[in-house]
Amino acid sequence: MTTPTVTITDNATGKTSECPVLVPTYGPRVIDTKNLYKDLGMFTHDPGFMTTSACRSSITFLDGDEGKLFHRGYPIEQLAEHSSYLEVCYLLLYGELPTKTQFEEFEYQVKFRSNVHERVNHMYSGYMYDAHPMSIMVGVMGALSSYYHEALDLNDPVDRDLTAKRVIAKMPTLAAQCYKYAIGHPFVYPNNSLGYVENFLNMMFSHPMNTYTPDPVAVRALEVMLILHADHEQNASTSTVRLAGSAGANPFACMAAGMVTLWGPAHGGANEAVLHMLNEIKTPENIPQFIARAKDQNDTFRLMGFGHRVYKNFDPRSRVIRKVCHDLLEHMPANVNARVFDIALKLEELALKDEYFIERKLYPNVDFYSGIILKALGIPESMFTVMFGLGRAVGWIAQWLEMMQDPDFRIGRPRQLYVGSRQREYVPIGQRG
Ligand code: CMC
């Protein structure tokens, strides 16, 4: 069978380029424009990569119009219901769900590496007492690049695999340390007798003066939140990891680069922005006024936690997390945050009924609910993006591993549409008018 092609004709010169059409398992077909410059002397122009595929990937598929998300072919709803976060990590890294023995070995390998070098603990004191935890996370994650020299041969699959396990193992420890540093409490070392999520909660909330017993409903809510954030194909932070990794950079430094991108409010910073917005709204009576501002073209205010670049239908993660969120709020005793939760639920209800949001397909996204869940778990707002990063780290490292094995792997180097000055002569400073 001949490969389908699309012919691109330059009407100015009459030259053509036969571009092969690549057929994915799912999703739109992709025009391979690699030869366009050779054939026509032209680049493609696509700000924001709205219609550009930058790599082949077999990890995650999402369909924004249909509201579907699969990891390695498994629907996110099934993974969230039946799986643990660590099992999803295994799936993303190795492509298959593990057998019981494979899972136990993987869990052991991850737990075995859960501690960080004692010297990392000294890094925190260099940070300002009120530093944002994401700024600390970026730094300590990057600092891991100064360790493990013996196992960082990027061409060695064993070293790469070990790096992936180290990333997953150390993320909860680093994240909890950021929190403990911020509140001035002593660091709590990992406890390998606990599950991945319980261990994290223990490092966050136990204290030498009192024991901490995690609530199973809270553990499950966090487990689901981490699963839902584990990977999301070529989003901004993952693309950053790939781009940095394409230059052959140290993988821990690549993770730090991903963390930097995640910090932006249009990406992982949205869950924190949701809580800021709910606090700003103050009472349910003020909600209509905020909705009106979000609809006003002359106001830059947007409802945080609503809308998504690719989901122009309900975000499938939102369906799952919405239920977990509602269940958790029902389970938790009424507390000081009750007002914030009331506002969140009322805002959700009103926005879902509002023509402006319906017309533009602006539904609550995963960050809307994850922000509320984290608040209910007692995790401070400034830690929310760190929590997103904790879940997403496996996606970053799985995508990095995939890229390192890709025969098409080459340094990422976008082109540009230059619109600056034409060549001109330098004028000495004294002669400039
Ligand atoms: N509140 C009010 N109006 C909105 C919102 C919102 N949250 N989001 C989009 N719109 C409007 C926008 O004004 C535009 O209206 P019009 O067509 O009349 O000009 C229309 O909807 C389309 O917006 P857009 O900016 O073209 O959409 P986008 O796909 O470029 O942006 C987004 C996606 C997520 C950046 C945006 O919806 C947004 O800023 N949402 C709030 C921040 C947020 O919750 N971000 C988390 C994203 S999910 C996390 C992740 O997966 O990383």
Side-chain angles (χ1 to χ4, degrees):
M1 206 179 78
T2 51
T3 316
T5 57
V6 160
T7 308
I8 299 182
T9 307
D10 177 357
N11 292 331
T13 63
K15 282 187 187 168
T16 59
S17 180
E18 279 303 302
C19 300
V21 174
L22 311 177
V23 183
T25 316
Y26 291 122
R29 291 170 304 149
V30 170
I31 304 172
D32 178 347
T33 54
K34 269 202 302 290
N35 289 331
L36 204 65
Y37 184 66
K38 185 164 67 69
D39 294 344
L40 303 182
M42 286 181 182
F43 299 142
T44 52
H45 181 61
D46 182 18
F49 307 110
M50 298 290 285
T51 59
T52 296
S53 147
C55 61
R56 277 172 211 269
S57 183
S58 52
I59 300 176
T60 294
F61 170 73
L62 73 87
D63 183 330
D65 295 326
E66 293 286 322
K68 285 184 179 157
L69 173 63
F70 302 152
H71 293 315
R72 303 285 193 186
Y74 294 100
I76 191 66
E77 294 84 350
Q78 292 182 23
L79 294 172
E81 187 177 346
H82 303 296
S83 216
S84 66
Y85 175 70
L86 263 195
E87 190 182 53
V88 172
C89 289
Y90 185 101
L91 176 69
L92 292 176
L93 293 178
Y94 305 116
E96 297 296 335
L97 287 169
T99 62
K100 194 165 175 295
T101 318
Q102 285 169 332
F103 180 74
E104 282 165 5
E105 175 60 18
F106 178 67
E107 188 178 36
Y108 169 78
Q109 293 283 338
V110 169
K111 283 188 172 178
F112 181 69
R113 297 183 166 81
S114 57
N115 207 5
V116 291
H117 196 288
E118 201 62 19
R119 281 178 192 275
V120 174
N121 300 350
H122 299 297
M123 279 201 63
Y124 293 88
S125 56
Y127 285 90
M128 203 61 183
Y129 63 93
D130 59 352
H132 192 286
M134 277 303 274
S135 73
I136 305 179
M137 251 340 249
V138 167
V140 290
M141 194 72 222
L144 292 189
S145 61
S146 62
Y147 300 83
Y148 320 119
H149 306 299
E150 79 298 345
L152 272 175
D153 178 354
L154 300 185
N155 297 315
D156 183 344
V158 176
D159 281 10
R160 294 197 302 253
D161 181 58
L162 190 55
T163 300
K165 287 180 180 133
R166 283 192 164 127
V167 166
I168 297 164
K170 292 176 200 311
M171 275 300 290
T173 312
L174 295 179
Q177 286 182 340
C178 283
Y179 173 62
K180 288 295 197 186
Y181 173 73
I183 58 169
H185 283 190
F187 292 159
V188 176
Y189 284 87
N191 178 344
N192 288 351
S193 70
L194 300 173
Y196 189 85
V197 173
E198 285 164 313
N199 177 44
F200 170 70
L201 287 171
N202 189 56
M203 287 189 288
M204 286 284 288
F205 297 120
S206 74
H207 189 280
M209 287 171 338
N210 51 32
T211 49
Y212 166 78
T213 313
D215 175 344
V217 178
V219 172
R220 188 62 201 155
L222 186 53
E223 185 107 45
V224 171
M225 198 216 107
L226 295 182
I227 292 172
L228 297 180
H229 284 83
D231 191 48
H232 212 225
E233 53 120 297
Q234 309 311 319
N235 56 83
S237 58
T238 303
S239 298
T240 305
V241 171
R242 277 187 177 257
L243 196 57
S246 78
N250 178 293
F252 295 102
C254 295
M255 296 299 114
M259 200 67 79
V260 170
T261 308
L262 187 71
W263 194 0
H267 190 7
N271 53 13
E272 185 180 343
V274 168
L275 258 293
H276 289 170
M277 177 188 73
L278 296 176
N279 287 331
E280 208 189 326
I281 294 176
K282 281 198 183 84
T283 68
E285 294 71 47
N286 291 337
I287 294 173
Q289 182 189 322
F290 279 80
I291 291 186
R293 279 188 62 197
K295 288 157 56 170
D296 182 351
Q297 301 288 338
N298 300 316
D299 192 328
T300 53
F301 174 78
R302 284 186 165 195
L303 280 191
M304 287 292 122
F306 283 77
H308 198 277
R309 168 54 70 80
V310 284
Y311 291 119
K312 301 303 176 191
N313 197 324
F314 215 81
D315 177 343
R317 301 169 300 173
S318 298
R319 266 197 210 101
V320 177
I321 204 169
R322 179 176 191 272
K323 175 154 183 356
V324 173
C325 177
H326 282 244
D327 289 351
L328 183 68
L329 293 186
E330 261 170 44
H331 169 79
M332 308 285 288
N335 63 22
V336 282
N337 296 315
R339 185 183 50 84
V340 170
F341 300 141
D342 279 354
I343 296 171
L345 299 183
K346 190 83 192 147
L347 178 65
E348 176 200 35
E349 186 195 323
L350 291 181
L352 282 173
K353 284 198 285 208
D354 192 295
E355 256 325 293
Y356 173 95
F357 291 90
I358 295 170
E359 246 173 44
R360 288 168 180 75
K361 304 190 170 162
L362 298 169
Y363 301 103
N365 58 45
V366 69
D367 285 324
F368 181 74
Y369 299 106
S370 68
I372 300 166
I373 288 181
L374 294 173
K375 183 83 183 168
L377 296 180
I379 294 173
E381 286 150 45
S382 60
M383 279 291 292
F384 284 10
T385 314
V386 173
M387 299 302 297
F388 189 156
L390 174 60
R392 183 55 57 84
V394 65
W396 292 336
I397 200 70
Q399 299 267 352
W400 175 84
L401 281 176
E402 181 176 64
M403 181 185 71
M404 299 306 285
Q405 296 160 39
D406 187 341
D408 282 345
F409 166 55
R410 56 183 55 201
I411 186 165
R413 188 8 179 130
R415 308 308 295 240
Q416 65 168 11
L417 171 69
Y418 176 70
V419 292
S421 302
R422 301 188 80 82
Q423 181 178 345
R424 45 189 173 158
E425 293 302 310
Y426 179 83
V427 180
I429 193 162
Q431 295 171 26
R432 289 174 213 157

